Amino acid sequence: MNDVVKCLIWDLDNTLWQGTLLEDGEVALTDEIRDVIVELDARGILQSVCSKNDHDQAWERLEKLGLAEYFVLPQISWGPKSEAVRSIADQLQFAYRTIAFIDDQPTERAEVNYHLPEVRCYPAEQALSLLDLAEFTPPVVTEDSRGRRAMYQANFRRDAERAEFTGPDDDFLRTLALVLEIQRARPQDLARVAELTERTSQMNATGVHYSEETLRGLIGGPGHEVLVVSLSDRFGSHGAVGVVLLVRGARAWHLRLLATSCRVVSFGAGSMILRWLTDAAARAGVHLVADFRPTGRNRMMEVAYRFAGFTTDSCDCVDLPAAPDVQLLHLEPAPQSPPDTMRIRVPVPFSTAPDTEWVRADG
């Protein structure tokens, strides 16, 4: 497996801390284990807890140790650990192959491995060497990586408020004060853009991953646009949530890649990007052509393109050939109305003018 781990799930007794809480009363945390937790967090790897313990007692101990804030979606109960691991992965919307589990008990690791064979399991003795393993070493650590835990924790608070909201979903979105910002990628942005293409599979239109070096070459290419999309609201920043790779031809703009984070699907970020791009192309008097390659995981992207009006109809506006196994989707765009659920800050369609906002004519 070459996937970098996105979330490490810790057992507590005799794994994260020394001793058994319910038997010993007092347990000890070594400085070395604390350092591992802090460093994994700094690398952008989320961490959680899966422990057979009394929840309140175990969580109180984590708080006293100053570690509770590092763990998202903790599962502390007496049920099967495989179910707890599955729950964490599913709530995070992470593929099981990107989840790791560490436990001192071979039977617990075997139980998780039996039910979730893609989850990587490690004995407690390996805890201090995790930082040296390739799967716990992202090739690049960006500003968004270092703030990933805070972003997820803000998202959980946002989801909780959403669950309590009564009324249409669009009304709730309006309460968030959402701002979608589309900018030309600068050299200092390329690491996080590359990371986004690496981490995004369900909402990646082609499944292609782009290295920082490749993106740097595209920035200087004639007619090429590398756009990075960020989202924020009253709960905080979502960080970089989307990337657009566009080639501007005389008769058509060729959308080589649209990828957005799964975290912002419910806000309609992908459809809003397509809506703005469709409007910009219509005003420029060009068609839109988009690459799409089915990967088995990106069906939602095909639905988004179809919903936006893209078809498989051929058109002689296409200036560039399709890559192998790639479908060319075509759209003759019409002007679009800006959304009323968010503000969109955009570059004035691909000129040197300063950035502006795409806003509704009625306010």
Side-chain angles (χ1 to χ4, degrees), residues 115-130:
H115 292 284
L116 301 169
E118 289 186 284
V119 172
R120 283 169 275 192
C121 297
Y122 301 84
E125 306 89 80
Q126 277 192 265
L128 298 184
S129 62
L130 294 180

Side-chain angles (χ1 to χ4, degrees), residues 89-103:
D90 290 351
Q91 288 183 75
L92 291 172
Q93 300 183 45
F94 286 177
Y96 298 140
R97 68 178 183 276
T98 67
I99 302 294
F101 171 65
I102 186 165
D103 196 298

